[in-house]
Amino acid sequence: LHLFQCQNPADGVIRASILSTEGMLFSVLGEANRAIDCFRQALLIYQQCDRSTNLKFATVMFEMGSLLSQQGQYDESANCFSFALGIRRHILGDSFVVARTHYSLGVTKASQELKTNTDIASASHLEEALRICQQEFEAEHLQSAIIVHALGVLNERKGDFLAASAWFAKERNMRQILSGEDHETVASVSADLGTCYYNSGKYDFAISTFEDGLRIILLAENDRSVEVAEALYKIASCHDSLCNYDEALENFHEVKKIRESLFGMESSPVIQTMLRIGNIQLCKGEVKKALDCFSEVLGIGYASDSVNAVEVANALYGRGCAQFCGFHLADAMKSFSESLNWKLAALGEDDPGLACIFYQMAHVYLEQSEPEEAITCFEEYARLQKLETQRNLHDNAEICYAEGIVAKLKGRQDAALSFYKQALAMFDTLFGGDHEKVASIHFDIGCVHSTMGNYEAALSHFQTCLVQRRKLLGGHVDVANALYEMASIFSQQGSVQVAVKCLTESDKIWKAKLRNNEKLISVLLLSAKLWKTLQCYQAAEENFEQALEQAISLYGQEHDLVASILLSLGEFLQEINQIQQALFCFDESIQVRTALYGPDNPSVAEVEYSKGVALLFHGDFED
């Protein structure tokens, strides 16, 4: 700048050089606005001197474009880079300076694309920059690695995780050659690569990549506990997705220990980790432990200002899931509603973070036999998920699955099958075989085929579901559900002995796992009716009576469910010619419904009719 000021300031080119150099100085000093003002004045003088096509003009354009990009003024920045690129490419051809300009223009256009959700050829500029760099330098060069990284980030932001992982893998290989396999830059790109593998469902690759990054971090002489915890958290998340729950829990507990020592018990990183621990305990069927974990988070959240609204909402959501698994449906719905209110206040009504709550509320409505409300919730879940700009394959599969459930509930069986099969293909790609989500879709496909009368196809899917659920869940309620559906089909096909075997096992699991809740009553009634169809009357009577005992225990004598079970039991006893016991059940049912609704209610008439039929068959014509 001093040398320029010693020359003739009346000379326009000298004056422009002074202004551009002052702009460089202000840029270095962090005074971006003053720098941009200088650059604008310099450009104006160059244009007046008819020097708007020389390299100095291009340099000023480039520097101003860089500052504007830093300020988020991407449109004007892109114009500056484009102008500079045109001049430099015309004069210099395939040089590093041209490659650098392509790179800057590509990165700026990528920011524009992200902001406007459009495609304006950012990748082509980055790829051209890479071509020139690889032509100018040896194959593995730092500048090339930087450009490859930008291409990875670009694809990751667009949600194309497979393409992004290919670029990050290329960068990782370049960094290993340039800096050695134990360099910290290799650890950094390993984190990016592992994340893309995770988002594209390649969980085994993600684990090995994250573990290699962790290995490098642990070699560092300085304390890098934060990064260690982050790497372990990602590894645990991969194990969770693969249903390797013990490995996931082990890693999450280690993360909690590290983060608690770094940030304290009430910190957001610790709360986040505790929520993941609770979720995995739930997946393992450890409902009590999960409920205790979520309750602990809520206790911290209500007592401390450091826990934000979303974390409280997530803890309420987790508690709701635990209550749902225990089939405490009213409590679960209350927790989900509270969670929804917290998230609505924090995020607004169009945030994809609300989607999971609607999904679980839908399942509560299904258990409560409220299909219309369930459909509304599933549709809202799908709508919110589709608002996510960076959906991965797992998100798309979940949306497809939810749309299949909606189609099934609306009676559109062919559409349901189509959605389920698309979701199954995506989940197969993600998990490559045995996984609870894959098993669940096989179960749902089986239900659709069964409804359509395609019993052989239904049986095939139920058997696949059963094999996977036995392997993953052991003696879980969901295993019993698959066995019951198979028993129903074997019954339809006349294979009584196989049906009895399946139903016996499902009964055993249900009665062992479900205690004192609404779900046990509903499955006992389903089972009793199937036993009756199979003409296994002792088992049918036993289940009807147990369902009645459970209902009285939960709701008391004067409840409509008690009256309904008494009616069903009475009709069953009448069928097997135990008339006196049947009449007793009918009288008890009439008494309960009369007390609840009055003597002229249609529900009372329903029982009176069944009692009349029993008396008719017994020959008591006057009664």
Side-chain angles (χ1 to χ4, degrees):
L1 179 63
H2 176 69
L3 289 171
F4 275 128
Q5 287 171 338
C6 291
Q7 298 181 43
N8 180 14
D11 186 316
V13 175
I14 298 299
R15 180 62 188 150
S17 297
I18 290 170
L19 284 165
S20 63
T21 309
E22 286 177 340
M24 301 280 193
L25 180 58
F26 286 131
S27 178
V28 171
L29 294 172
E31 298 184 45
N33 288 331
R34 293 182 71 181
I36 289 170
D37 286 342
C38 288
F39 289 143
R40 289 191 194 282
Q41 292 178 58
L43 290 172
L44 185 61
I45 293 170
Y46 276 130
Q47 287 173 322
Q48 290 170 348
C49 297
D50 198 23
R51 296 292 185 91
S52 59
T53 57
N54 68 8
L55 288 174
K56 286 187 177 181
F57 186 89
T59 299
V60 176
M61 274 288 192
F62 181 88
E63 296 298 335
M64 189 165 80
S66 298
L67 290 173
L68 289 167
S69 183
Q70 290 169 23
Q71 292 184 336
Q73 300 182 53
Y74 301 121
D75 291 343
E76 189 177 357
S77 171
N79 289 335
C80 290
F81 287 136
S82 294
F83 205 99
L85 178 62
I87 296 169
R88 288 175 166 179
R89 187 166 50 191
H90 177 71
I91 297 172
L92 302 174
D94 284 352
S95 68
F96 173 68
V97 172
V98 173
R100 186 183 173 205
T101 315
H102 271 297
Y103 172 80
S104 298
L105 179 56
V107 170
T108 302
K109 281 184 174 288
S111 299
Q112 281 180 295
E113 289 175 352
L114 187 65
K115 189 175 179 180
T116 60
N117 198 27
T118 56
D119 189 345
I120 48 177
S122 58
S124 63
H125 287 288
L126 293 172
E127 288 168 357
E128 184 66 7
L130 180 61
R131 181 190 67 79
I132 295 169
C133 276
Q134 290 179 331
Q135 181 177 296
E136 285 280 299
F137 310 113
E138 64 257 30
E140 314 304 340
H141 190 275
L142 180 59
Q143 295 297 333
S144 297
I146 291 169
I147 298 167
V148 168
H149 181 80
L151 283 161
V153 171
L154 174 63
N155 283 281
E156 183 181 24
R157 286 178 175 178
K158 289 180 176 180
D160 190 347
F161 299 109
L162 288 172
S165 62
W167 285 113
F168 285 134
K170 183 178 178 69
E171 183 198 359
R172 185 167 178 253
N173 184 57
M174 294 169 78
R175 299 272 184 189
Q176 287 173 330
I177 293 170
L178 289 167
S179 308
E181 293 190 351
D182 298 338
H183 197 269
E184 61 181 23
T185 57
V186 177
S188 176
V189 73
S190 292
D192 294 325
L193 176 58
T195 301
C196 286
Y197 280 145
Y198 177 84
N199 284 326
S200 54
K202 296 182 177 180
Y203 300 115
D204 289 325
F205 285 128
I207 289 170
S208 63
T209 307
F210 286 137
E211 286 178 343
D212 191 54
L214 177 61
R215 176 190 64 78
I216 297 168
I217 292 168
L218 292 171
L219 293 174
E221 295 179 1
N222 56 327
D223 183 12
R224 299 178 67 177
S225 299
V226 174
E227 293 166 82
V228 169
E230 183 66 24
L232 286 170
Y233 188 93
K234 290 174 179 177
I235 292 166
S237 297
C238 294
H239 282 301
D240 183 14
S241 295
L242 289 168
C243 298
N244 300 332
Y245 297 129
D246 290 334
E247 292 89 338
L249 266 184
E250 182 182 347
N251 281 290
F252 276 129
H253 278 301
E254 183 63 24
V255 172
K256 179 177 178 286
K257 181 180 175 182
I258 295 170
R259 288 178 167 177
E260 196 173 332
S261 67
L262 289 169
F263 309 117
M265 186 67 179
E266 297 177 357
S267 66
S268 182
V270 173
I271 295 299
Q272 180 190 45
T273 312
M274 289 177 70
L275 290 170
R276 294 299 300 272
I277 289 171
N279 286 332
I280 293 172
Q281 288 170 333
L282 207 53
C283 291
K284 290 186 69 179
E286 298 172 352
V287 177
K288 173 88 171 51
K289 286 184 179 179
L291 203 52
D292 290 344
C293 183
F294 294 129
S295 297
E296 185 179 0
V297 172
L298 283 172
I300 296 168
Y302 291 143
S304 172
D305 293 334
S306 63
V307 180
N308 64 44
V310 173
E311 288 164 344
V312 172
N314 287 338
L316 285 164
Y317 170 80
R319 186 179 73 181
C321 290
Q323 290 163 336
F324 178 76
C325 287
F327 297 101
H328 302 293
L329 302 182
D331 292 336
M333 185 59 84
K334 182 180 177 183
S335 293
F336 291 139
S337 297
E338 287 182 48
S339 175
L340 183 61
N341 289 335
W342 277 83
K343 278 200 174 180
L344 281 170
L347 305 174
E349 62 183 17
D350 289 329
D351 193 280
L354 303 173
C356 60
I357 304 173
F358 283 103
Y359 188 82
Q360 292 300 334
M361 290 174 79
H363 282 286
V364 176
Y365 282 127
L366 284 181
E367 288 292 337
Q368 294 176 160
S369 301
E370 299 178 69
E372 292 302 320
E373 289 79 0
I375 287 170
T376 301
C377 287
F378 278 126
E379 288 177 337
E380 182 63 6
Y381 164 80
R383 182 189 76 83
L384 289 166
Q385 281 285 69
K386 289 175 182 178
L387 294 176
E388 176 59 66
T389 55
Q390 284 189 283
R391 293 199 307 272
N392 56 29
L393 184 61
H394 187 277
D395 296 327
N396 289 328
E398 288 285 9
I399 291 169
C400 213
Y401 185 32
E403 289 176 332
I405 296 172
V406 170
K408 177 184 168 188
L409 291 172
K410 289 183 175 180
R412 296 163 48 226
Q413 306 299 342
D414 288 331
L417 270 183
S418 175
F419 282 122
Y420 284 148
K421 287 177 180 178
Q422 290 176 60
L424 182 60
M426 286 186 265
F427 280 123
D428 271 335
T429 299
L430 284 167
F431 305 122
D434 295 339
H435 193 276
E436 170 49 26
K437 186 62 74 172
V438 174
S440 294
I441 298 177
H442 277 293
F443 181 86
D444 286 315
I445 292 174
C447 289
V448 173
H449 277 304
S450 181
T451 302
M452 297 171 75
N454 304 329
Y455 296 124
E456 286 301 327
L459 201 55
S460 172
H461 285 283
F462 286 135
Q463 286 170 333
T464 302
C465 170
L466 180 63
V467 168
Q468 292 198 20
R469 284 183 170 173
R470 279 195 199 279
K471 181 177 178 181
L472 295 166
L473 305 174
H476 194 274
V477 171
D478 287 341
V479 173
N481 295 340
L483 284 163
Y484 170 80
E485 294 296 338
M486 290 171 66
S488 298
I489 290 176
F490 285 129
S491 172
Q492 294 272 3
Q493 294 178 328
S495 302
V496 174
Q497 287 187 332
V498 186
V500 166
K501 184 178 178 182
C502 290
L503 193 55
T504 300
E505 189 177 353
S506 67
D507 267 12
K508 182 179 178 182
I509 295 171
W510 277 333
K511 291 175 184 180
K513 296 294 182 179
L514 300 172
R515 297 179 184 276
N516 301 321
N517 59 52
E518 302 164 39
K519 181 68 175 178
L520 179 57
I521 298 170
S522 66
V523 297
L524 283 171
L525 290 172
L526 285 172
S527 176
K529 289 170 184 175
L530 186 51
W531 281 124
K532 184 174 75 170
T533 301
L534 294 167
Q535 298 182 355
C536 298
Y537 298 124
Q538 184 177 343
E541 184 174 357
E542 180 183 310
N543 280 7
F544 275 127
E545 289 175 350
Q546 286 183 16
L548 181 61
E549 289 171 11
Q550 287 286 322
I552 294 171
S553 172
L554 283 173
Y555 306 116
Q557 183 75 35
E558 290 191 0
H559 192 278
D560 188 62
L561 180 59
V562 173
S564 296
I565 297 171
L566 282 165
L567 173 58
S568 296
L569 179 55
E571 290 173 340
F572 165 71
L573 292 168
Q574 183 255 317
E575 282 187 40
I576 61 173
N577 206 32
Q578 295 185 26
I579 300 299
Q580 293 307 315
Q581 295 95 319
L583 292 174
F584 174 80
C585 291
F586 292 138
D587 286 337
E588 288 290 305
S589 181
I590 291 167
Q591 183 179 333
V592 172
R593 286 187 170 175
T594 301
L596 289 172
Y597 309 118
D600 297 329
N601 190 273
S603 65
V604 177
E606 179 188 18
V607 190
E608 291 278 14
Y609 175 80
S610 293
K611 181 182 176 184
V613 170
L615 289 164
L616 183 65
F617 277 99
H618 193 241
D620 295 337
F621 300 119
E622 288 187 19
D623 290 340

